[in-house]
Amino acid sequence: MSRPSPSAPSIPRLIEQLSSADASTATGAVECAARAAFGSDHDALRLAQGGAVPAFVRALQGPDEEIAKYAAGGLIGAARVAPDLVAEAAGSALVAALIGWGDSVVATNAAGALGQLARSNPSRVASEPDALQALASAMRSTNDITVWNAAGALGWCATSGPSLARLVASTPGALAALCAAVASDRDPRVISNARFALAEIAGFGGADAAVRIIGTPGALGALTRTLLSGSPAQASAAASVFVEASRVKSEHAHAAATPAVLTALASAAGKGFAAINCINALNAIADASAQLALRVADAPGVEAALLAALSGSDALAGANAALALNHIADADGERVARLVSAMPAALPALTALLQSTDAIAVKASIPLLAKVAHHDNTLLAGLLDLPGAPLQALAAALRGADGDLAVWAGVVLCILVGESAQQAQRVLSAPGVLQAVVAAISHPDQRVVANALGVVRAAALFDSGHAVRLARAPGALQPLLRALGSPEDVAVASAADILAIACRADADLARRVAAAPSALRALAARLSGGGGRTAAAATAALFSVATDENGPRPEMVRRLAAEEGLLPALAAAVQRGGDAARESIRVLAAFALVGEERLVGLLSGAEGVIAALVGAVRSSADEATALNAARALAQIAATSPQDLGRSVLDAGAAEAVVQAMARGSDQAVSGLLQALLVVDAAKVAAVLATALPPPYTAATIRARTALASAPLSLGSVAVEALAHAAEVAATLRARTAALTALALAAAAEADAVRPRACAGCGLQGESAGAGRLRPCAGCSGKGPAGRVLYCSTDCQRAHWPAHKAYCKRAAAAAAAHEAAPGGAA
């Protein structure tokens, strides 16, 4: 409506005229009163308090458009100063006017009055029947001022709180109309109010409203235009829509991840405080999937925007950028490593975030440091020299309650100590770091335990003293021993490695470990559970408990021998092979080399030990392993030649010696050979003789030497006689094997050519009434003549006196064949 006249009206007179019983007088006063109310808050208040509002309502509800226009305008003024009074008296009339007067100025002013009311009491407007729907419909008006007023009213209603914001968002057509207005070429004030309304709906309505907005046709275009509007506040609000919606469902993130939206977010991120939400929107979209993370990174301007935010002055924007880069690094770590490498300010920025008091900044920076260093550990060079106390910040994260953060902190520290001996020393001697490791190995999250132990394990590769210092640290040994029972293999392996190093250097520590039954049981369980690094580390720890640089520690060996199941577990580890086998044989050798008869008896009596040692002598390509196994067997044989020695010999030790000789390990097994000769020189000589016949190998020469040497001291004639006898025996064995194979095949061949007939009556299987022929159960298919068949039990009984002798011999021969080495299963 037009501006009021400059002349001051008589408010009492206008009130009197508005209340006049004469319709024409009252109608004529409406325009004057409306102009006064619209132009002056003082006059508007006097009019409202004097009873003008009911008169305005009556005029608004009349048929005269001109009068209704002024009446609605007067209500705008009155609503500014007395909103509760106007809402009570005129709310329904304003809604009716907005609906009924279409594109007229009446509707424009009615929307303006509702907007004024919504500023003061949005819930009162929203609760008015059909008010929100009427405002949503008014958004489709061709009158820009009507749209401007309606958008403002919807926006102010949304500011009341989450429930009203969601109510506005769910009003049919409201979001679509607002989005259309934002994307239109209407008056800039209309577009601004529509953006304001969307921002308030999103800001107060949360995820529910954001999802509704994203799902509205035209919303992406409207939000993109808002991001590029130049208004940090509106750009920030638009970005928050993408943040909230993307976190609800990945499909919303996919919908938002268009090149236009991503580029607009990157652009708006450079405009003041909008960076926080814009960068967070990029983070939320990248978080939805690896595919979207790469799409975000590929959008023009995004990488630059993230790096600018990372190194900028706003810590929250920097934290959001670090979070987004984390998601991109999960999809393509090398890419992010290159970005960080190309930006000198990146490491200082991440280190500053690391030391921030903001939890989000810390949780974003530490994983990113770990991920980029995984691809290029030189990116952490210089971190220790940056301002502040980055090591103490990492230590605080390592010992903190947040398991995921502690895991990443452990990774970063592992990388740092793995760079050099000097850096390892610098890290672990920094105040609080070793204490943090001690605290972390008691963490309930076993990944944290594994990484904390990994820090010291990596440092111990340069200096074993780091492992000793950890094991000796106050309160460290018990959690270190508990880690041996961890379900996390890496934790077990690192704990065992640290104990192996520390116990080797510290006898008192070895005694404390040996005195802890749970530790020995845990190590034995790792041997029984399989091979790999964990089993090898467990056996190395046992070896370090049992021995020092001077040899076995008898007291420790006795303690290990008392641990039930440990010796069989070591034997099983030997038979599986690998690094664990080598270490296990060293432990078994320590048992034997103590030289105590009781220990040797325990060793030789344990299930699988002698067989495992013999197997190592027979097949190990490692000279030291073969030597340790041979020494253990020699000690067992020498302790009791006619008892334990016989067990060693019967287990194939002499044959294993010959095979070791063939590999060139005769020096390793010479002591075992001498011990076996004491047990049974004739049997050993017979085994050595098997190496004499052609083809000649390295074992042939060594066997001849052994036969000619003490204690056998056989002359050349005797050696040649043995060689001849062995050659004849080998020939006979070959012929026997061939004949046995022929005999075994004969039964099948006989069956193939003989007719299928009953052995009792001769009735053939094809004859009428022959029925089904069944084999004799006693020698079924086992005899050299093939199967013996019968057509009935009567025939079998009648034929038994003739068949009995053959049946029993065939069954016995078959049983003997199955029991022989290489026989049938």
Side-chain angles (χ1 to χ4, degrees):
M1 62 181 291
S2 60
R3 301 288 298 170
S5 65
S7 58
S10 170
I11 299 303
R13 186 175 175 217
L14 282 175
I15 293 171
E16 183 182 348
Q17 290 174 340
L18 287 169
S19 304
S20 172
D22 181 65
S24 62
T25 300
T27 300
V30 168
E31 179 180 355
C32 232
R35 290 184 183 277
F38 193 84
S40 165
D41 286 352
H42 177 70
D43 291 344
L45 183 59
R46 291 175 65 198
L47 283 164
Q49 291 175 340
V53 172
F56 285 145
V57 172
R58 287 193 297 273
L60 179 62
Q61 292 172 329
D64 190 313
E65 182 178 348
E66 189 71 9
I67 296 301
K69 173 184 74 175
Y70 285 112
L75 288 170
I76 292 176
R80 277 202 316 269
V81 295
D84 292 339
L85 190 155
V86 173
E88 182 67 28
S92 59
L94 288 169
V95 172
L98 183 58
I99 296 171
W101 285 101
D103 276 348
S104 70
V105 179
V106 180
T108 300
N109 287 351
L114 288 169
Q116 283 295 336
L117 294 177
R119 282 175 177 265
S120 302
N121 194 342
S123 59
R124 179 68 181 81
V125 173
S127 64
E128 191 67 52
D130 298 325
L132 293 179
Q133 187 61 67
L135 289 167
S137 299
M139 289 294 303
R140 295 194 291 271
S141 172
T142 58
N143 187 314
D144 279 355
I145 299 180
T146 301
V147 177
W148 178 69
N149 283 337
L154 289 170
W156 287 113
C157 283
T159 62
S160 177
S163 60
L164 265 190
R166 290 193 285 269
L167 184 61
V168 173
S170 63
T171 299
L175 292 179
L178 288 169
C179 290
V182 171
S184 71
D185 55 359
R186 285 182 179 272
D187 186 294
R189 293 175 300 170
V190 174
I191 296 171
S192 179
N193 253 17
R195 286 177 184 152
F196 158 75
L198 280 176
E200 299 309 308
I201 292 169
F204 285 92
D208 181 74
V211 167
R212 285 184 177 274
I213 293 171
I214 286 289
T216 300
L220 291 184
L223 292 170
T224 302
R225 190 168 178 180
T226 302
L227 287 169
L228 300 174
S229 67
S231 166
Q234 291 186 345
S236 181
S240 72
V241 174
F242 294 117
V243 174
E244 295 288 349
S246 296
R247 286 176 176 164
V248 173
K249 281 187 179 180
S250 61
E251 63 191 60
H252 301 314
H254 277 274
T258 67
V261 169
L262 297 175
T263 303
L265 286 168
S267 175
K271 297 178 176 64
F273 66 85
I276 295 173
N277 272 355
C278 289
I279 296 296
N280 201 17
L282 293 169
N283 165 50
I285 295 169
D287 187 25
S289 71
Q291 176 191 7
L292 288 187
L294 293 177
R295 192 183 299 177
V296 168
D298 287 337
V302 167
E303 288 183 347
L306 292 175
L307 292 175
L310 181 66
S311 58
S313 58
D314 191 305
L316 187 52
N320 287 343
L323 288 171
L325 288 168
N326 266 296
H327 299 314
I328 297 170
D330 289 336
D332 187 350
E334 189 176 349
R335 176 180 194 153
V336 177
R338 287 197 306 269
L339 286 176
V340 172
S341 176
M343 182 184 178
L347 182 62
L350 286 170
T351 308
L353 290 174
L354 163 66
Q355 299 175 75
S356 169
T357 56
D358 182 81
I360 295 176
V362 177
K363 290 181 74 170
S365 58
I366 294 179
L368 186 55
L369 284 169
K371 290 170 189 176
V372 297
H374 174 72
H375 288 275
D376 183 357
N377 54 16
T378 63
L379 294 179
L380 295 186
L383 182 145
L384 302 185
D385 297 316
L386 289 171
L391 277 178
Q392 281 67 38
L394 287 167
L398 179 64
R399 68 186 304 166
D402 188 323
D404 289 336
L405 189 60
V407 167
W408 288 116
V411 172
V412 175
L413 288 168
C414 280
I415 293 171
L416 287 172
V417 300
E419 282 300 289
S420 65
Q422 180 184 13
Q423 189 152 297
Q425 175 63 28
R426 187 175 175 186
V427 170
L428 284 173
S429 62
V433 174
L434 188 60
Q435 292 85 344
V437 171
V438 173
I441 60 178
S442 293
H443 201 286
D445 188 329
Q446 294 303 301
R447 299 173 304 155
V448 178
V449 176
N451 283 3
L453 292 171
V455 173
V456 176
R457 178 68 185 88
L461 295 176
F462 297 112
D463 180 357
S464 61
H466 294 300
V468 177
R469 282 190 290 277
L470 174 65
R472 289 174 176 170
L477 184 59
Q478 287 309 309
L480 188 57
L481 295 178
R482 282 199 301 272
L484 294 174
S486 170
E488 192 78 21
D489 283 349
V490 177
V492 177
S494 293
D497 284 339
I498 290 167
L499 286 170
I501 295 169
C503 290
R504 190 81 170 158
D506 188 332
D508 180 62
L509 189 63
R511 279 191 289 275
R512 292 171 66 190
V513 173
S518 61
L520 298 183
R521 282 196 295 272
L523 291 170
R526 288 296 166 175
L527 293 179
S528 303
R533 191 172 103 75
T534 305
T539 50
L542 288 168
F543 181 71
S544 293
V545 168
T547 68
D548 59 20
E549 64 275 7
N550 298 316
R553 294 167 171 155
E555 178 189 353
M556 299 298 99
V557 172
R558 294 185 199 106
R559 178 65 192 83
L560 294 182
E563 182 61 36
E564 184 179 357
L566 179 58
L567 288 172
L570 288 165
V574 173
Q575 291 172 335
R576 282 193 299 271
D579 291 341
R582 182 175 61 253
E583 295 296 334
S584 295
I585 286 173
R586 294 174 74 192
V587 179
L588 292 172
F591 275 80
L593 295 176
V594 169
E596 294 181 3
E597 185 174 349
R598 187 182 72 84
L599 284 178
V600 173
L602 287 173
L603 179 67
S604 58
E607 182 182 358
V609 167
I610 290 179
L613 292 171
V614 170
V617 172
R618 178 184 294 113
S619 59
S620 178
D622 181 73
E623 185 78 9
T625 298
L627 174 61
N628 283 326
R631 281 176 175 172
L633 289 169
Q635 185 65 43
I636 293 170
T639 300
S640 175
Q642 297 311 312
D643 182 8
L644 300 182
R646 178 61 60 180
S647 298
V648 170
L649 190 59
D650 290 346
E655 290 82 356
V657 166
V658 171
Q659 288 174 285
M661 288 177 171
R663 293 194 312 272
S665 299
D666 52 313
Q667 295 301 316
V669 296
S670 59
L672 175 58
L673 179 61
Q674 294 303 310
L676 294 176
L677 286 168
V678 173
V679 174
D680 190 336
K683 183 173 182 179
V684 173
V687 173
L688 288 171
T690 61
L692 301 180
Y696 298 111
T697 65
T700 304
I701 298 171
R702 294 180 175 97
R704 285 180 175 274
T705 302
L707 289 167
S709 304
L712 292 173
S713 303
L714 298 180
S716 58
V717 174
V719 171
E720 290 305 324
L722 272 177
H724 177 71
E727 187 172 3
V728 170
T731 302
L732 288 174
R733 281 195 298 273
R735 291 176 63 190
T736 301
L739 290 171
T740 300
L742 179 61
L744 291 173
E749 190 69 17
D751 260 355
V753 300
R754 68 189 290 181
R756 292 176 56 81
C758 176
C761 66
L763 191 65
Q764 293 190 3
E766 293 80 9
S767 303
R772 181 180 176 188
L773 296 173
R774 293 181 175 83
C776 171
C779 61
S780 175
K782 301 171 183 176
R787 293 187 300 172
V788 178
L789 305 175
Y790 295 99
C791 67
S792 66
T793 55
D794 291 339
C795 276
Q796 188 171 12
R797 288 193 194 97
H799 190 248
W800 177 243
H803 175 60
K804 178 178 179 181
Y806 172 83
C807 185
K808 290 186 175 182
R809 288 188 179 92
H817 172 68
E818 290 176 2

